[in-house]
Amino acid sequence: MRLLYLLFIFLFTVFCSYVILGQEIGSIRKSVEYSFPEKIHKLVLDPLPAGTYSVGAGGYFPTIDSAFNKLSIDGIGGAVTLELIDNLYAAPARQFGFTLNGPIPGAGPNSRVTINLLKIRM
């Protein structure tokens, strides 16, 4: 009987401690406010307007990589033509070849990206 009484006292003490501790943690949680940012979707910041843009030394885009980055990140606002004005283009050292990450925001059946060689005008 005495063992049963000690077991009861022990379990009662553990239960009360658990309840008191739980209430303290609950009050701590209620006093702290958590703010989570809303899910951010990929924003099209400044799409490249429709038109023809030169790529190469002295062009609108100095490298193919910079043109592809603009298309991948900001997208297009209409049909875009990239004209390659240099004779030779070197891929960035960090990769093999050029990478255009798609889909391009704003691209569609009426808004395409075309890459051409510059036609020499005489």
Side-chain angles (χ1 to χ4, degrees):
M1 188 71 167
R2 180 165 166 73
L3 184 61
L4 197 57
Y5 176 73
L6 290 175
L7 183 62
F8 173 75
I9 295 295
F10 175 75
L11 291 176
F12 182 75
T13 305
V14 170
F15 176 74
C16 288
S17 299
Y18 178 75
V19 169
I20 291 170
L21 186 61
Q23 288 175 347
E24 289 299 319
I25 290 174
S27 66
I28 291 171
R29 280 190 198 150
K30 289 178 184 174
S31 66
V32 177
E33 290 185 26
Y34 298 102
S35 64
F36 297 101
E38 294 180 23
K39 184 176 179 181
I40 299 174
H41 297 282
K42 186 176 179 182
L43 299 175
V44 178
L45 301 176
D46 187 20
L48 191 63
T52 301
Y53 299 92
S54 56
V55 178
Y60 187 86
F61 294 106
T63 63
I64 292 176
D65 201 38
S66 63
F68 283 2
N69 285 338
K70 176 69 174 174
L71 296 175
S72 297
I73 294 169
D74 294 336
I76 59 175
V80 170
T81 301
L82 299 178
E83 286 190 338
L84 305 178
I85 59 175
D86 289 342
N87 292 328
L88 182 65
Y89 291 89
R94 69 182 186 281
Q95 64 191 33
F96 181 75
F98 298 99
T99 304
L100 177 58
N101 296 321
I104 299 171
N110 297 324
S111 298
R112 297 180 183 205
V113 176
T114 306
I115 302 173
N116 291 329
L117 295 174
L118 178 66
K119 297 178 179 106
I120 298 174
R121 297 177 187 108
M122 293 189 176

